[in-house]
Every structure is written in structure tokens, then in C-alpha cells.
Amino acid sequence: MLPCCSINENPPEVPSGFIRFKCSIDNELTKSLTYMGNGVMAIIYAFNENSILYTVGDTPVTARSTGNGELLTNSALTLPDGVYDFYSISCNSSITPSLNICQGYSDQPANGIDYLWAFARQVNLTYGREVILNYRHIACKIRVTVSAGENVTSLSINDIKFTYPSSNGVALDLSQGTLSPSQSVESLSSIPGSGNSRTFIILPCRSAINIVVLLDANIDGEYKTGRRFLTILDSDLEGGIFYDITLTLNSDNTYTTTFDNKEWETISETITY
């Protein structure tokens, strides 16, 4: 566990102007930028250049996205002229991140949160008071879809279970924008939702993950209920990637698994069935 601390190194008080923030979300696969959604909350940290141990000024400050590229801080942020490094964390939602950053690290990340990270290093406030933060996803997004193969009809999914990565030992590195991968998984638990597909967010992971599907289906003309199928994912799951996993049920009671990387898409806060 990382120690908890709150150290703030205030620079000398000299006349300075307010700092404005612009924001966007980086879509790495398509090399494009999109606006952050309206009402998305973020926390912004400022440090002296090449230092990550002690925040400066009145940071961290909370900020809210306007939906058109502006990020408005809840309180005015001022710093003297000079060169600074800025970092920011968001949950990509209206929830303010609860991470406790201590000397550049936090040991509180959790599954289910679409963490966004941004930085702007070596910003010389002598020549301007606008800081641009381009956020990127640092957790993993997973979509599990169960489909019917040849000679399989009337497929009905009763439950999809998943061994979520354990948060034990996982830390967020503020300067690098990475979540250290989990080395173990929790016991099986149901993925919220219904239908043949589930989409959710997890921490990066280097441990094998189990997926269990409970279903009813007509297989080779015989309707079978209460079938239970297990799939094991042995690949490392890296932060910032959307993994699209399709499990195709075959007539011989086996699964064919396809595993693709996709462009990150926005998950609605309401589940659509």
C-alpha cells in the first residue's frame, strides 16, 4: 500500500493571471480528437517543471467540462510566471475522481471506471495563460458478445460471469498516465446487463481471466436449457485498449473465441438492452 500524504509547496505570491484550460479526448486508433462531454469532472494538478513530488499553487483543483472544449475550474487558478507541468485525471463522468495522489502515485483505482489522463509539460506561463489537456483512456474496455454458430438457434443468454482483475497492488502513475496491471483476479461475478452482449470497464491485467456463460439454446435440433460454458482468456489486457470478444457457440458444445481491438466508444451511463 502507498502512504497517504498531502504536501503542497506554494510558490511566492507575485502578480499573476488566471489560467484557462482547454480539453479534448484522444482517439488513438483513428488519430482524432473529440470534445469531452458536458459536465464531465476532472482534477488538475500543477507542479514545478520536472517535479512530481509536490503540487504548486492551490492545486489540485476540480474542473468541469462545458462540452465544447472548455474546462472550467471550480476556483480560479493562478500561478506566477514560470515553467510548469500539469496533469489531470477524470472518471469520464459527472463523478469527481476520488483518487488520493501522493508523490505522483495513487493506490485506489477500481474496476468499472473509465479513467482519463492528460498532461501538459513544460508550459511557460510567461507567454500565455492557456493550457491544453488532451485526455486518453488508461483503463480497459471489454465487450463480450455471445453468438450462435452453425446449427445453433434460439440462443438465450441467462448470465455472463467474469473474473474481474483484483485492485490489490494496482497503482496509478500520475506522471506516466498508466495503471499498473493487476497480477490476480477476483472470484466470478455477473456482468450487469442483459441480452447477448455486455460492455464494461476493468483495470489492466496480466492474470488469466475466466468468462462463464449460462444459456439456453437449440443445438442440432435439440433444445437444451441451463448450459454452462467456460472460456479462459490468457492474453495480457493493456490499459487504453477496447477489447471486443466474441464467443461463438458451436454445435459440438464448444466455443470459438475471437479477440479484436476496436476504437474506443463512449459507454452510456444507462444500459440499453
Side-chain angles (χ1 to χ4, degrees), residues 89-198:
I89 293 293
S90 172
C91 296
N92 201 15
S93 71
S94 59
I95 298 172
T96 302
S98 60
L99 295 171
N100 179 31
I101 301 293
C102 176
Q103 297 191 351
Y105 291 90
S106 170
D107 64 345
Q108 299 173 320
N111 291 299
I113 299 177
D114 183 10
Y115 291 108
L116 300 177
W117 172 82
F119 73 94
R121 299 191 185 99
Q122 296 182 327
V123 177
N124 193 335
L125 296 182
T126 306
Y127 302 109
R129 293 272 152 180
E130 185 174 275
V131 177
I132 298 174
L133 295 171
N134 292 328
Y135 290 84
R136 65 177 179 86
H137 303 275
I138 60 174
C140 302
K141 186 163 75 167
I142 306 289
R143 178 165 63 203
V144 176
T145 302
V146 184
S147 64
E150 189 176 355
N151 296 325
V152 177
T153 60
S154 303
L155 181 65
S156 176
I157 306 303
N158 300 320
D159 196 8
I160 303 177
K161 298 178 181 289
F162 194 87
T163 52
Y164 287 86
S166 170
S167 60
N168 291 335
V170 178
L172 184 147
D173 184 335
L174 185 63
S175 67
Q176 299 301 312
T178 56
L179 292 164
S180 58
S182 175
Q183 304 297 323
S184 61
V185 295
E186 300 171 352
S187 56
L188 281 167
S189 57
S190 295
I191 307 169
S194 66
N196 288 20
S197 185
R198 307 283 192 278

Side-chain angles (χ1 to χ4, degrees), residues 187-244:
S187 56
L188 281 167
S189 57
S190 295
I191 307 169
S194 66
N196 288 20
S197 185
R198 307 283 192 278
T199 304
F200 53 105
I201 303 289
I202 65 170
L203 297 168
C205 187
R206 286 186 180 162
S207 179
I209 284 177
N210 292 348
I211 303 175
V212 169
V213 180
L214 307 178
L215 57 82
D216 306 329
N218 189 314
I219 303 175
D220 276 339
E222 181 182 355
Y223 193 74
K224 300 179 181 181
T225 62
R227 307 295 291 178
R228 182 182 188 274
F229 294 91
L230 168 67
T231 299
I232 300 176
L233 300 180
D234 241 347
S235 302
D236 292 348
L237 300 179
E238 300 179 8
I241 296 179
F242 173 19
Y243 294 97
D244 194 6

